[in-house]
Amino acid sequence: MSVDATAQIHPSAVVEEGAVIGPECQIGPFSVIGPEVTLGRGVVVKSHAVLTGWTEIGDGCTIYPFATVGETPQDLKFKGERTRLVIGQRTRIREGATLNTGTEGGGGITRVGDDCLIMTGAHVGHDSQIGNRVILVNNVAVAGHCVLGDDVIIGGLSGVHQWVRIGKGAIIGAVTMVTNDVMPHGLVQGPRGDLEGLNLVGLKRRGVERSEITALRAAYQMLAQGEGTFMDRARRLADETESSHVREITDFILAASDRSFLTPK
């Protein structure tokens, strides 16, 4: 066990031999830190949290009570192989959230980026790749092998099917089941997740220029109503656009995927 001299550990906490506790960490009462857990600088682990598995927590993260971070995957194919969970800096994992390590068949690692907010009861499944500044609202369930780009927001009580990709800046409304890929900056809502527009609020909040938003609006209309198939329209748009944000969408659509796309209405 390696514990920095500046760390504060409550006497009732269990820190197992082999754990690495960085400078200025605070570990609250009745929490458990497993033997392969590494905490960066200033990590706060509140009471009754469990950190286990081969898990790395970045600087400045906060783990709230009753969260379980780094447990084994909920996958019947998992046979105890050595896999990881890596969480970036300043991410907050709220009460009762669960984040699992990866599986050998899925690449062996689950990742969560910087400055994310994983709210109460949310779940991040094995081998998922979560970008920076992602918000999972209360009781969101992200299944295994999903990819969420930067700045994605998923509303409360929503689910994301395994292997689904959600592009940068997309927003998913509450109580939505997402079964297909969502293009960057898309707006999806409804019981079975229909793509109903662009995440205009998110684009404006991030300071995207008006010209780029105008280009995105035109691109969305072309994808929704242009000639040819959806993929034909995406290829034509990729050839014609000069917008970096539209290029994000076309690159995403034209990339290889295990799921079909939610198409614009």
Side-chain angles (χ1 to χ4, degrees), residues 171 183-188 194-200 220 264-265:
I171 187 167
M183 71 181 196
H185 312 295
L187 165 64
V188 172
D194 295 320
L195 183 63
E196 297 188 351
L198 296 168
N199 182 14
L200 296 173
Y220 187 90
K265 288 188 171 182

Side-chain angles (χ1 to χ4, degrees), residues 152-175:
V152 166
I153 299 174
I154 302 184
L157 298 169
S158 295
V160 183
H161 193 283
Q162 62 186 4
W163 299 104
V164 161
R165 298 180 305 145
I166 299 180
K168 177 181 177 180
I171 187 167
I172 311 299
V175 199

